[in-house]
Amino acid sequence: MKRLPALAFVAMLSAGCASNTAGVGYYWQSVSGHLKLMQAARPVDDWLADEAAPSRLKERLEKARRIRQFAVSELALPDNASYHRYADLQRRAAVYNVVAAPALSLTLETWCFPVAGCVGYRGYFLESDARSFADSLDEALEVAVYPVQAYSTLGWMNWAGGDPLLSTFITYPEGELARIIFHELSHQVVYVQNDTAFNESFATTVERLGGARWLNRSTDQARADYATFDNRRRAFRALTRSTRERLKAIYEDAHLLDDTKLQRKAVAMADFRQQYERLKAGWNGYAGYDPFVAAANNATFAAQAAYDDWVPAFEALFEREGRDFTRFYDAVRALAHRPKEERQAALRELAPAAFAANHHDCP
């Protein structure tokens, strides 16, 4: 195996680091950034045997190891090298993604390369690099930079030790830690070129289903902690989803002039922020979504949609397959091999009520 080309392949693929116009410097930051991450990783057993390692970290790594075993035994997720090592990155994110969209559209700009296909984000290991690229984009675009706590190399790096557990998410509540591991492993089961919404919605479905199963076997305290965390997230996602649909209706109204659309958009965004403040008032000081709200624009709303849009359809498919994960994955692979339009039509048929509710304004 030619290891350097393979590593370059994966580093670009994993972080959405793809562009038809990217130069050597861009690809090098992708390769070198991933190399540094891999080099920082040590086997979990080594961390557990290290007397200098904090006891809290050891407790979390033990928990992560049990979650990893559960992923194989109960969720039929891949049994491979991934998530048996841990890396302390000493920064708040694994990568920083740049997303962009027009002022009157929720369609993301895309960057493409042959293996991973086209994706609606571009990733950087350094936040400064991400912001420099964001600043270079067309001023007519709405742009956002956001931190990503984990990413998947889709199994391509299992020969080199696999994707490691990271300091960027190891301290999350138990239920959320489980969901992240399940989500990223799901990308090693199915990945479709040029269909971010399919890939992310599938992984989100597996994380939700798997997370619920894990918590059912965990402690009352873990369930209570996660319920608090998840209730906030569900409320916030419901708010962003309704705002997204409101914006979509404005943008697609052929009877409105662009100036009118911009005015109505401004009202919708102001309403979004006001509703968020009312929502946050009941969260006992939790302000974790403040950065999203402060930067909210078409790009951030469109990026979030990829994680939600097809989840009801995948949940329906899971039920159709008798709540059996192996059969479910086989059915998802069958969908993945169909042309995109056929694939989306099949997903709409799986959850017509949910699709109609979320896309009532589509022509």
Side-chain angles (χ1 to χ4, degrees):
M1 179 182 293
K2 295 180 180 179
R3 294 192 173 187
L4 185 57
L7 182 58
F9 227 27
V10 173
M12 290 182 291
L13 186 154
S14 63
C17 303
S19 173
N20 291 329
T21 59
V24 173
Y26 176 74
Y27 292 122
W28 176 245
Q29 72 85 30
S30 210
V31 173
S32 60
H34 188 73
L35 266 175
K36 290 176 182 177
L37 184 148
M38 295 290 286
Q39 290 168 350
R42 295 163 49 198
V44 167
D45 285 344
D46 288 1
W47 286 97
L48 295 177
D50 188 344
E51 294 183 359
S55 58
R56 175 61 174 164
L57 173 61
K58 291 182 178 182
E59 183 272 327
R60 300 304 291 172
L61 291 176
E62 286 278 15
K63 185 76 68 177
R65 185 156 60 181
R66 292 196 292 274
I67 290 170
R68 184 65 180 89
Q69 293 167 348
F70 183 90
V72 175
S73 63
E74 301 296 326
L75 309 182
L77 286 168
D79 186 4
N80 55 36
S82 290
Y83 303 111
H84 294 288
R85 299 191 304 154
Y86 169 74
D88 184 354
L89 300 185
Q90 298 184 357
R91 61 178 188 261
R92 70 188 183 106
V95 294
Y96 296 86
N97 279 354
V98 180
V99 288
L104 292 175
S105 173
L106 292 173
T107 300
L108 289 172
E109 295 290 299
T110 58
W111 293 274
C112 309
F113 72 99
V115 173
C118 297
V119 293
Y121 51 92
R122 179 158 151 158
Y124 290 84
F125 283 90
L126 294 179
E127 185 176 8
S128 58
D129 288 344
R131 296 201 176 278
S132 292
F133 175 70
D135 290 341
S136 76
L137 293 174
D138 190 331
E139 292 183 358
L141 294 171
E142 296 189 352
V143 181
V145 176
Y146 62 92
V148 178
Q149 277 63 47
Y151 66 86
S152 173
T153 58
L154 311 185
W156 284 82
M157 291 304 292
N158 284 322
W159 62 270
D163 298 336
L165 300 161
L166 299 174
S167 54
T168 52
F169 62 81
I170 197 67
T171 60
Y172 280 11
E174 179 181 325
E176 186 65 8
L177 175 61
R179 283 173 57 134
I180 287 176
I181 294 172
F182 301 155
H183 182 107
E184 300 305 335
L185 283 171
S186 299
H187 286 312
Q188 298 188 28
V189 175
V190 178
Y191 179 86
V192 181
Q193 281 194 354
N194 307 328
D195 201 340
T196 300
F198 182 90
N199 297 327
E200 295 300 344
S201 291
F202 163 65
T204 297
T205 302
V206 175
E207 73 164 70
R208 289 183 183 180
L209 297 169
R213 287 197 180 189
W214 170 263
L215 285 170
N216 282 340
R217 304 186 187 188
S218 190
T219 65
D220 289 341
Q221 186 61 54
R223 284 189 289 271
D225 291 344
Y226 185 72
T228 299
F229 185 95
D230 195 44
N231 287 339
R232 289 193 299 252
R233 173 169 51 194
R234 287 178 181 273
F236 184 71
R237 284 189 172 179
L239 173 58
T240 56
R241 185 167 52 250
S242 64
T243 302
R244 192 166 66 235
E245 291 304 316
R246 181 177 175 182
L247 291 172
K248 191 170 186 287
I250 293 169
Y251 301 156
E252 294 184 354
D253 191 335
H255 298 96
L256 298 179
L257 296 174
D258 284 356
D259 285 348
T260 303
K261 291 181 180 181
L262 290 170
Q263 292 170 3
R264 295 190 181 184
K265 170 188 174 181
V267 172
M269 293 299 292
D271 287 349
F272 163 68
R273 291 188 167 92
Q274 289 174 3
Q275 291 178 62
Y276 171 68
E277 290 301 325
R278 289 196 291 270
L279 191 64
K280 192 176 71 167
W283 288 350
N284 296 319
Y286 180 78
Y289 293 110
D290 281 10
F292 181 102
V293 175
N297 59 23
N298 287 344
T300 58
F301 281 115
Q304 190 184 61
Y307 291 80
D308 297 333
D309 276 2
W310 296 118
V311 170
F314 282 117
E315 290 177 339
L317 182 60
F318 183 71
E319 294 294 334
R320 192 192 77 183
E321 298 302 323
R323 301 182 64 79
D324 180 282
F325 278 96
T326 299
R327 287 173 51 188
F328 173 57
Y329 300 152
D330 288 341
V332 174
R333 289 189 189 98
L335 279 175
H337 285 102
R338 298 172 68 172
K340 188 172 184 177
E341 289 186 3
E342 289 185 17
R343 185 163 62 243
Q344 292 182 344
L347 289 168
R348 282 192 290 269
E349 290 176 2
L350 283 163
F355 185 83
N358 290 334
H359 299 266
H360 56 83
D361 50 300
C362 294

